[in-house]
Amino acid sequence: MPATAVLTARALLLDMDGTLVNSDAAVERVWRRWAERNGLDGDEVMKVVHGRQGYASMALLLPDRPMEENYTDNARMLAEETADTEGVVEIPGARDFLASLRGVPHALVTSANVALSTARMAAAGLRMPEVRVTAESVGASKPDPEGFLKGAAELGVDPAECVVFEDSAAGIAAGRSAGMRVVGVGPRAGAHGPDVVVRDLTQVRVEAGVDGGVRLHIGE
């Protein structure tokens, strides 16, 4: 990436975990307990779970288990995750970044459900975007592009005019499959083919365009 880059867009679609909210400690606690219960290696489990809905991670990790069991187990996991917000904080720059989006079309597109996303955004002290695409809103988990396409549709913006902010392999793949440009956030992102990468959201400056669009100054 050059020292600075500029992306233009008409709408922004924002992942939550790893992008706006640092929930890694809580995710590690809950999923390593799950790994132990199921006789799996915790390190291998952690390579899979970021960005996906829980049932989709379970399907990859336990391919012979019936999906109904995964859905039931996922409901338990969501309850555990919602109750565990210790150490959940904002990604540096997230609060100011969200404040700069007032008047800019944007949506949260997360694999968390309503309860979990509400709990984690509140724990991090972040404003919840008015438009939200959560686990309840989609029939397929990232890396399927459904969530990002629904976010674009909710905002009334062509997918090609959207920029996604994501941290995980599954999320970046979903954004690319939706035909959108992707800003990768944080240390996980760079290996998975985003258009540009930032250390955190302090490296993003939002400038409203005169035509209702937005210019993103990346890497400053």
Side-chain angles (χ1 to χ4, degrees):
M1 188 181 74
T4 60
V6 177
L7 299 178
T8 59
R10 300 198 70 82
L12 307 182
L13 302 176
L14 315 174
D15 175 52
M16 181 183 72
D17 292 301
T19 301
L20 298 173
V21 171
N22 182 347
S23 57
D24 281 1
V27 172
E28 288 259 348
R29 285 192 295 271
V30 171
W31 277 98
R32 284 186 182 276
R33 287 198 299 267
W34 181 88
E36 187 174 357
R37 288 196 301 268
N38 288 279
L40 299 175
D41 180 85
D43 291 340
E44 294 304 312
V45 167
M46 296 313 303
K47 292 176 183 178
V48 171
V49 299
H50 292 291
R52 291 181 172 84
Q53 291 193 46
Y55 74 83
S57 296
M58 293 170 189
L60 289 172
L61 292 161
L62 297 171
D64 296 327
R65 189 164 80 163
M67 280 303 298
E68 285 306 314
E69 288 187 36
N70 293 336
Y71 291 130
T72 300
D73 206 0
N74 185 48
R76 289 193 294 266
M77 291 287 285
L78 284 168
E80 281 188 55
E81 290 184 286
T82 301
D84 185 355
T85 57
E86 182 180 351
V88 174
V89 296
E90 69 165 320
I91 294 292
R95 187 176 289 105
D96 290 342
F97 174 69
L98 286 170
S100 74
L101 297 185
R102 294 191 184 278
V104 174
H106 65 285
L108 187 74
V109 181
T110 176
S111 293
N113 64 0
V114 169
L116 180 57
S117 58
T118 301
R120 285 187 175 161
M121 291 289 281
L126 297 179
R127 173 184 68 81
M128 181 70 83
E130 290 184 14
V131 178
R132 286 153 260 172
V133 179
T134 61
E136 296 93 339
S137 310
V138 297
S141 170
K142 299 172 185 176
D144 190 282
E146 181 185 1
F148 287 123
L149 293 172
K150 283 202 167 185
E154 287 273 340
L155 296 171
V157 177
D158 187 276
E161 295 187 298
C162 295
V163 168
V164 165
F165 283 73
E166 263 286 1
D167 72 299
S168 69
I172 291 167
R176 298 304 291 266
S177 294
M180 301 172 182
R181 289 153 295 154
V182 181
V183 176
V185 180
R188 279 190 291 267
H192 305 299
D195 293 273
V196 295
V197 183
V198 295
R199 177 186 63 251
D200 55 43
L201 294 171
T202 64
Q203 293 188 295
V204 181
R205 181 169 63 85
V206 178
E207 177 189 4
V210 294
D211 60 350
V214 61
R215 289 166 61 86
L216 300 170
H217 298 265
I218 306 291
E220 298 183 339

